[in-house]
Amino acid sequence: MKDFNKEHSEQEFNNDKNTNEMETVQEESTIKEEMNNEPEKIVINEEVKKESTTPPQQRKPKSGKSKGWMKTISAGVIGSVLTLSILPFTDYPEWINQPTNQTEQAISSAKDTGPVKVQQTSTATSNLADMVEKALPAIVGVVNIQQAQQNNFFLPQEGQQGQRGQQGNSSDEGVETGSGSGVIFKKDNKYAYIVTNNHVIENATEIEISLESGEKTKAQLIGTDALSDLAVLTIDAKYAKSTLSFGDSSALRVGEQVAAIGNPLGLDFSRSVTQGIISALDRSVSVSTSAGEWAMNVLQTDAAINAGNSGGALLNTAGQVIGINSLKISQNGVEGLGFAIPSNDVVPIINEIIKNGKVDRPYVGIGLASLDEIPSYYLQNLPQNVEGGVMVTSVDQNSAAGKAGLQVQDVIVSINGQDVKSSTEFRKYLYTNLKVGDKATLKIYRQGSLKTVSLTLTSNSGPTS
């Protein structure tokens, strides 16, 4: 009975073994078929899987584990010693020593004795509040004071004898006639230089500067240029805590953020800040100046610019001056149309003013008026095909025009072959394309006849061209 059970158990074991072997063979066969039918990426994944599941006993054991740790620690110690030994004698690259805040480069208290330069426009590395805080000390208030005669009721009238034997009926007293803004842009050992608009200080007998600290001081006028609407003043260098540099206005793009700083509506709102964007580049705006009609090249911005902002700074986000705020269009229903003189136009003008006290422009010696400003009575002899031009309204007899024989009521229709239809176009061509000493050829109509007049341009200043 025992033998039968043993034999029977062995037989069942063998049958089970055979069955298991057959099932294993079938499974392997099935796996091979599936592997052959699977796409290539599955095969790659299978290979990665196999490599990652290598039995631990087949991997080579790591030897010297403690020695490896000791080597790592030793290498770290040696490296630290070498670094501390060599570092003090290493020449650093230039960029390590450069300031990390480019706003500080734009706003400097360094003394500069050379001509003003336009700097490469940089990108802001600080927020707007930081930039404004650094810029504010370089923004000043500019007050135009003029002499005005006022009756003094406590003095005798003209011709009457006073108690002390004095005569007179008036006294001269300085009266504030307007105010604007200015920017300290340069400083040397003696003076700090301020740029503002010409119309802010025009006809002033005295100019007062209001500083961020609350101090006030008198300014000296270096020179002005009515056409560009710029003027340069100086104050004692001790009042200037910092200066602002000029950025490159030609690198501006429409949509860039800007900030305007000035004194809108007077000193009660001194150093007010408004923010906006560059709305347009290279706008041409016709303005009336004491030197005649002029087409001013300006930047357009929607940053609020009000009366009193004139002469203030239009800043990029790096704190560089990219424009001098000058004018705005003020009409009912019109908002956000402010204009600034581009920094690339400002810099050569203020450098010339500092050097010569004025801007040296070619001088013809005539007063001009566009034909649309002239009554038709004076245009009766002008041919019907003449569509535009400028009439001579006055002639300086000692000028190039006087010597060349130009006369009042001559109508100029071209200069050096360039047609001119207004006094603005004439001045624009004259001041943009010609210089002192150049020859100019004018086509004119006199009593209905076309004539040619040639002259050599001289240098002078005045309200005539």
Side-chain angles (χ1 to χ4, degrees):
M1 185 70 178
K2 293 181 180 179
D3 293 338
F4 172 78
N5 292 334
K6 179 179 181 182
E7 182 177 354
H8 181 71
S9 299
E10 289 177 354
Q11 185 175 359
E12 287 181 346
F13 174 80
N14 290 334
N15 290 337
D16 293 339
K17 181 178 180 182
N18 291 336
T19 301
N20 292 336
E21 288 178 352
M22 290 178 65
E23 290 176 352
T24 302
V25 171
Q26 289 177 354
E27 289 177 357
E28 291 178 351
S29 177
T30 302
I31 292 172
K32 289 181 180 180
E33 289 177 359
E34 291 176 351
M35 290 176 62
N36 291 332
N37 294 330
E38 287 178 347
E40 184 177 356
K41 66 176 183 178
I42 301 298
V43 173
I44 294 175
N45 289 337
E46 185 75 13
E47 290 176 353
V48 173
K49 184 176 180 181
K50 287 180 180 180
E51 183 180 354
S52 63
T53 55
T54 303
Q57 62 271 21
Q58 294 180 1
R59 297 178 181 174
K60 293 183 179 180
K62 295 182 181 179
S63 61
K65 184 174 181 180
S66 60
K67 292 182 179 180
W69 280 105
M70 290 299 296
K71 289 180 180 179
T72 302
I73 295 173
S74 299
V77 172
I78 294 172
S80 300
V81 172
L82 290 174
T83 301
L84 294 173
S85 301
I86 297 173
L87 191 60
F89 305 98
T90 303
D91 292 331
Y92 303 108
E94 293 182 359
W95 58 265
I96 292 180
N97 294 322
Q98 291 180 352
T100 56
N101 191 339
Q102 294 184 358
T103 302
E104 294 179 358
Q105 294 177 331
I107 304 165
S108 170
S109 60
K111 296 178 180 179
D112 183 9
T113 58
V116 181
K117 296 180 181 179
V118 171
Q119 297 185 3
Q120 183 177 0
T121 300
S122 56
T123 304
T125 56
S126 60
N127 61 37
L128 179 64
D130 290 337
M131 181 275 288
V132 169
E133 184 179 4
K134 291 182 173 67
L136 284 177
I139 306 298
V140 300
V142 181
V143 179
N144 183 326
I145 300 175
Q146 298 181 17
Q147 294 295 331
Q149 288 194 344
Q150 297 179 340
N151 289 328
N152 190 330
F153 299 103
F154 298 97
L155 293 176
Q157 298 298 315
E158 184 177 359
Q160 295 180 351
Q161 188 72 25
Q163 293 181 355
R164 297 184 181 181
Q166 297 179 349
Q167 286 185 333
N169 70 333
S170 66
S171 63
D172 291 338
E173 181 179 343
V175 177
E176 179 181 330
T177 59
S179 64
S181 308
V183 180
I184 303 175
F185 65 92
K186 180 180 176 180
K187 179 181 177 181
D188 58 27
N189 292 327
K190 293 182 64 177
Y191 303 110
Y193 295 80
I194 299 170
V195 59
T196 186
N197 285 139
N198 173 71
H199 74 260
V200 171
I201 53 86
E202 199 164 31
N203 300 321
T205 54
E206 187 177 316
I207 301 172
E208 186 178 77
I209 300 299
S210 173
L211 301 153
E212 185 200 28
S213 62
E215 296 177 285
K216 294 182 179 181
T217 184
K218 303 300 181 185
Q220 298 297 319
L221 177 63
I222 299 299
T224 68
D225 182 53
L227 283 179
S228 63
D229 196 24
L230 293 172
V232 177
L233 316 171
T234 59
I235 58 175
D236 193 303
K238 69 181 182 181
Y239 292 106
K241 306 305 180 185
S242 64
T243 62
L244 288 174
S245 64
F246 289 95
D248 183 2
S249 59
S250 67
L252 290 172
R253 297 186 302 166
V254 172
E256 285 193 33
Q257 290 187 341
V258 291
I261 307 181
N263 307 306
L265 307 180
L267 300 181
D268 289 340
F269 299 96
S270 61
R271 280 161 284 277
S272 293
V273 182
T274 57
Q275 185 181 15
I277 62 170
I278 294 294
S279 303
L281 304 168
D282 298 322
R283 291 293 197 205
S284 182
V285 178
S286 296
V287 294
S288 296
T289 73
S290 58
E293 296 295 322
W294 183 244
M296 184 177 291
N297 179 52
V298 290
L299 303 170
Q300 180 182 331
T301 179
D302 67 347
I305 295 176
N306 297 291
N309 275 115
S310 293
L314 187 67
L315 302 172
N316 61 16
T317 53
Q320 296 172 315
V321 180
I322 45 87
I324 297 297
N325 301 322
S326 184
L327 61 148
K328 65 173 292 185
I329 294 179
S330 180
Q331 296 178 357
N332 290 333
V334 176
E335 295 182 0
L337 283 177
F339 302 96
I341 307 169
S343 57
N344 286 23
D345 293 348
V346 172
V347 168
I349 296 294
I350 61 178
N351 279 332
E352 189 167 355
I353 290 175
I354 292 173
K355 181 179 179 181
N356 302 320
K358 63 178 183 178
V359 175
D360 197 18
R361 287 194 172 94
Y363 178 66
V364 177
I366 53 176
L368 297 173
S370 300
L371 292 187
D372 56 8
E373 301 172 344
I374 304 297
S376 58
Y377 172 81
Y378 295 98
L379 305 176
Q380 294 178 0
N381 295 324
L382 199 63
Q384 294 295 323
N385 61 347
V386 176
E387 298 180 354
V390 291
M391 178 174 282
V392 177
T393 58
S394 63
V395 179
D396 179 357
Q397 296 301 322
N398 295 320
S399 68
K403 295 176 181 178
L406 279 176
Q407 300 177 10
V408 174
Q409 294 189 22
D410 284 347
V411 176
I412 302 171
V413 293
S414 72
I415 176 172
N416 288 355
Q418 177 68 43
D419 291 342
V420 290
K421 297 183 178 181
S422 66
S423 58
T424 300
E425 287 187 8
F426 182 87
R427 292 188 181 94
K428 196 74 172 180
Y429 181 88
L430 178 67
Y431 299 141
T432 304
N433 298 282
L434 300 174
K435 60 182 183 297
V436 175
D438 286 349
K439 294 186 179 298
T441 301
L442 307 178
K443 294 287 187 182
I444 68 168
Y445 279 96
R446 179 180 297 165
Q447 299 296 322
S449 299
L450 182 64
K451 297 180 179 296
T452 300
V453 176
S454 296
L455 49 84
T456 300
L457 301 172
T458 59
S459 173
N460 204 339
S461 298
T464 56
S465 298

